[in-house]
Amino acid sequence: MAIPRKPGPSVQSPAASADLLQILMFRKVLTREQAERVRRFARANSVAVVPAMVEMKLASEVQVAEALAAFTGLRFVKINPLELDLDVVTGALSAAFARRHGLVAIAKTSTTLTVAVHDPLGPFPADDLKNVSGLEIERVVATRTDVDAVTKNFYDLRTSLKTAEKQLAARRLPSFDLGNQEYLSAQADEMDPAAAPVVKALDHLLNYAFEQRASDIHFEPKRTATLVRLRIDGMLHDVHVIPRIVYQAIISRIKLLSGCNLAEKRRPQDGRIKREQGGREIELRVSTMPTAFGEKAVLRIFDPDILLTRIDRLGFSPADLEVFERFLGHTHGIILVTGPTGSGKTTTLYSVLKHLSRPEVNIVTIEDPIEMVHEDLNQVAVRPAIDLTFANALRTVLRQDPDIIMVGEIRDTETAENAVQAALTGHLVLSTLHTNDAPSAITRLLDLGVPHFLVLSTVIGIVAQRLVRVNCPHCSEAYTATGEEAAALGMGMDVLASHPLRRGAGCLHCRQTGYSGRDGIFQLMPISEKIRALVARQAPSPDVLEAARREGMRTLRDAAIEKVLGGITTVSELLRVTGK
């Protein structure tokens, strides 16, 4: 095979697939036989070479882009949308120019504009770019998917924001009419020309959050604009700044979709949005709150693939899973899940309900609000405004012939007493408490006024949990622990020598963070006879903790250490989640 010459700047984009296939063979991405298979497949199916390779699982887009970058002597960049500046992307180049030439501006300094292309062999308008920007141009290579995604999402979002801002400002109103429900109705684009851009802008932001695996979307109003942030793997990232006048319309759109009162701006409100994404129904829980600069909104995203996972995929160790399954084997009693907000309690409870759901079982949930509607469950939403509280709903549910009852949270004495009565009358009750560890849940129930003898006769077991970020599977590598890390783990360096730790180096897949996804760490405390004896004499939490540890209960830190030694997470995550 003749080795292809490195193309100069005047080389045209290869119309035939042979040029690209030769380059990929030269860079050892494909063998000659694989290249011929790709050529035949592409010709037979009338598709381009790169999609053919991806479909045949012979090479990925990233491998092709890296090979082209190496061949042309350019730098390959995996575009991370979270690191892009909307003003740089859309302000440096027009949408028409970017789409026509298959490129996108991704970074800008005082002297240089960095432009990503997906076809480095094609003509590149370097002189035009330099004249327009007045800067030196650095050309880098990215995948077509990344370039197209940025071009579409960023330009479409900017167009929607600019159009909405222009049309809203043209109304010359002192403020947006939050009571005008007609403004953002389902037929908004037909009734009002200013509504469609607002609807599109919100759709772009939601789609962007889903693509980035965000668990929460924060809209934070500031003095002159609104900051949009995404929580990904437990960490917040700034992603966009939108004009204040547009945000007033967006928050109305959110409140309308979620069933909130558009005219009410002085009180916090809660609601839900159901949205289809990629053929799946995704639930968003909406919470609004008045702040100094306007209403702050947080949208929590519930993906059914995550929320309704199998219990053996929640992160339990084999020993803990066996204990937890024993909890679930009871037909009556109370199982409590504890932890702070965002620790995965909802996921655990819904996964348990899915595990227990059978045609012969009546499961009723009482939630505030309903996290995700599921047809196998009978779900009740708490509405304090009409006196439908957890306690009142629970009293009614007991007359609905339930087998299993899930109470979203035990917040007060009345709810706690009704949950205990439900357990005493032969029902399995699942609920949550906000405590730091499992033993503290006993103290919390006693503080709520539940008599200790009822705690003894109803509580089956308590689960405390947290979420830790997981090492990226693509860039995780072994390394030798430092003295500080050994001290944090409570182990000697000689012991750790036989347990090499792992951490993510940072790569294209994890956006250089070293982490991808999260996993649970758990503390399980069965109510044994010794624990019952301590509760009977109302012993303090430290005594209960010590007795439970003597019986084999692990702390959250112990569970985190196990995941560190297993290469699942890092020492820094252990310290972040469980404290130093």
Side-chain angles (χ1 to χ4, degrees), residues 3-25:
I3 296 177
R5 293 183 299 107
K6 185 174 177 179
S10 62
V11 173
Q12 296 297 309
S13 178
S17 61
D19 294 345
L20 177 57
L21 291 173
Q22 278 192 324
I23 292 171
L24 295 177
M25 285 189 289

Side-chain angles (χ1 to χ4, degrees), residues 91-123:
L93 307 172
S94 70
F97 185 89
R99 290 187 175 112
R100 183 166 65 252
H101 294 283
L103 50 81
V104 64
I106 61 172
K108 184 179 180 181
T109 67
S110 58
T111 60
T112 306
L113 179 68
T114 303
V115 176
V117 299
H118 61 76
D119 181 9
L121 303 179

Side-chain angles (χ1 to χ4, degrees), residues 69-115:
F71 181 74
T72 53
L74 299 175
R75 181 163 62 95
F76 171 74
V77 173
K78 176 64 176 173
I79 298 178
N80 179 3
L82 296 176
E83 296 178 351
L84 299 184
D85 187 322
L86 181 64
D87 292 331
V88 169
V89 174
T90 60
L93 307 172
S94 70
F97 185 89
R99 290 187 175 112
R100 183 166 65 252
H101 294 283
L103 50 81
V104 64
I106 61 172
K108 184 179 180 181
T109 67
S110 58
T111 60
T112 306
L113 179 68
T114 303
V115 176

Side-chain angles (χ1 to χ4, degrees), residues 347-494:
T347 299
T348 298
L349 285 178
Y350 267 85
S351 298
V352 166
L353 294 179
K354 180 184 178 183
H355 175 77
L356 296 175
S357 178
R358 298 186 302 277
E360 64 271 20
V361 174
N362 177 22
I363 301 177
V364 183
T365 75
I366 306 169
E367 306 171 68
D368 182 21
I370 296 173
E371 305 287 11
M372 192 189 75
V373 175
H374 194 278
E375 61 182 9
D376 291 342
L377 312 176
N378 301 290
Q379 296 167 282
V380 179
V382 169
R383 299 179 65 185
I386 58 172
D387 201 32
L388 182 60
T389 62
F390 276 113
N392 291 340
L394 188 50
R395 277 196 297 270
T396 302
V397 164
L398 289 176
R399 296 192 288 272
Q400 291 284 316
D401 187 30
D403 296 293
I404 299 170
I405 303 170
M406 192 271 273
V407 181
E409 182 183 347
I410 295 178
R411 299 176 179 173
D412 51 42
T413 300
E414 192 176 8
T415 305
E417 290 174 346
N418 281 289
V420 167
Q421 289 302 319
L424 287 172
T425 52
H427 305 92
L428 181 63
V429 179
L430 309 170
S431 190
T432 68
L433 278 176
H434 285 289
T435 61
N436 290 328
D437 59 11
S440 301
I442 298 291
T443 304
R444 176 66 177 148
L445 287 177
L446 296 175
D447 289 342
L448 286 173
V450 179
H452 67 274
F453 58 87
L454 291 182
V455 173
L456 293 176
S457 56
T458 57
V459 178
I460 299 167
I462 303 167
V463 181
Q465 70 177 84
R466 301 288 190 279
L467 292 175
V468 294
R469 290 184 292 171
V470 174
N471 286 326
C472 174
H474 300 281
C475 64
S476 175
E477 57 188 16
Y479 73 100
T480 303
T482 64
E484 291 80 2
E485 289 175 325
L489 294 171
M491 299 179 179
M493 292 294 292
D494 53 337

